[in-house]
Structure formats: structure tokens, C-alpha cells
Amino acid sequence: MSIEEIVTGYHAAMLRKSADELADLYAEDGLHEFPFGGLPAFEGREAVRAGYRAMWGASPFEAREVRRVALHRTEDPEVVVVEQDAHVAAGGRTITVPGLLVLRIRNGRITHTRDYMDTSAIDRVRAAAAG
């Protein structure tokens, strides 16, 4: 898969909250880290699948849109930075959650993700969902 296909597939998986679609983008030994927010890393494709299935299954929000703001290529041809805005509905409100993904892609699969989310926006989503 190309970088474009992977980023588009990643955003489609987010929109549908499909852990299977997301995990299928990863190499078998892929690593997904959350530098902010205190979440443990998912080590391996099946950990990505299980971790996102649990997170998204328990999430009280609905993704309305995931918008790619920019895709930045780096000096390393395997690494791209994706700026994104997720627009989610929670508690009758739509809240924008900005984020950055730093993706290492090798042989058409994600081998490493550093997933930076705006934790204050995540807190607003949780508060809105709680009513």
C-alpha cells in the first residue's frame, strides 16, 4: 500500500471505529505509542486490534468526520507526519479533536506510530458524553 492509501485507510478506520481495518494496516510486529495521555503502547498488530476494539467499543462518541489537515514527508522516506482533526459527536455536541500521527511505513505496512492527541479535547468529549 502507498502512504496515501495507508493514511486514507487509517482515517476511514477511525471514522468507522473499526479496529480490524486499523490493525490490518500494521506490520505483524508494528508498534503504536501514545506519548501523551498515559495510555500503554500496543505492541504488535493483534495488540493494536485488541486495544482499539476495547477503546472504541467503550467510547461514548461517534466520529462524524476525520479531516486530514496536512501530510508532511520527512527526510526519512519511511516517515510521514499527518496533521488531522477528528470531529466527534458526544452529548449532543460536536467537538474537534486535533492530533498528529508520526507514521513509519515499510513495505506497505505501518511499523511504528506515535499518536499525539489533544488530551484537553478528549476531556471535553468525555465530559460532554457524561452529560
Side-chain angles (χ1 to χ4, degrees), residues 69-86:
V69 176
L71 182 124
H72 303 279
R73 297 183 187 271
T74 69
E75 291 182 13
D76 183 334
E78 293 184 345
V79 177
V80 295
V81 178
V82 181
E83 293 181 64
Q84 63 191 26
D85 285 335

Side-chain angles (χ1 to χ4, degrees), residues 51-129:
Y52 269 96
R53 185 172 285 140
M55 278 196 315
W56 285 340
S59 295
F61 69 85
E62 176 188 341
R64 298 284 171 110
E65 178 184 11
V66 180
R67 182 177 302 153
R68 180 191 315 178
V69 176
L71 182 124
H72 303 279
R73 297 183 187 271
T74 69
E75 291 182 13
D76 183 334
E78 293 184 345
V79 177
V80 295
V81 178
V82 181
E83 293 181 64
Q84 63 191 26
D85 285 335
H87 301 278
V88 299
R93 297 177 48 203
T94 299
I95 300 168
T96 301
V97 180
L100 287 175
L101 298 171
V102 180
L103 302 173
R104 178 172 293 279
I105 299 167
R106 186 177 299 135
N107 298 324
R109 298 278 181 218
I110 298 170
T111 60
H112 189 191
T113 298
R114 292 181 57 86
D115 189 344
Y116 297 90
M117 296 174 285
D118 180 339
T119 55
S120 65
I122 297 289
D123 288 343
R124 287 193 302 278
V125 169
R126 288 183 181 133

Side-chain angles (χ1 to χ4, degrees), residues 10 13-14 17-24 26 30-34 39-59 61 115 117 126:
Y10 195 109
M14 289 175 64
K17 292 168 69 170
S18 174
D20 290 329
E21 288 178 34
L22 183 64
D24 289 346
Y26 279 77
L31 175 65
H32 189 111
E33 296 180 300
F34 302 93
L39 299 172
F42 299 143
E43 298 183 35
R45 178 188 302 140
E46 296 312 312
V48 170
R49 187 182 318 278
Y52 269 96
R53 185 172 285 140
M55 278 196 315
W56 285 340
S59 295
F61 69 85
D115 189 344
M117 296 174 285
R126 288 183 181 133

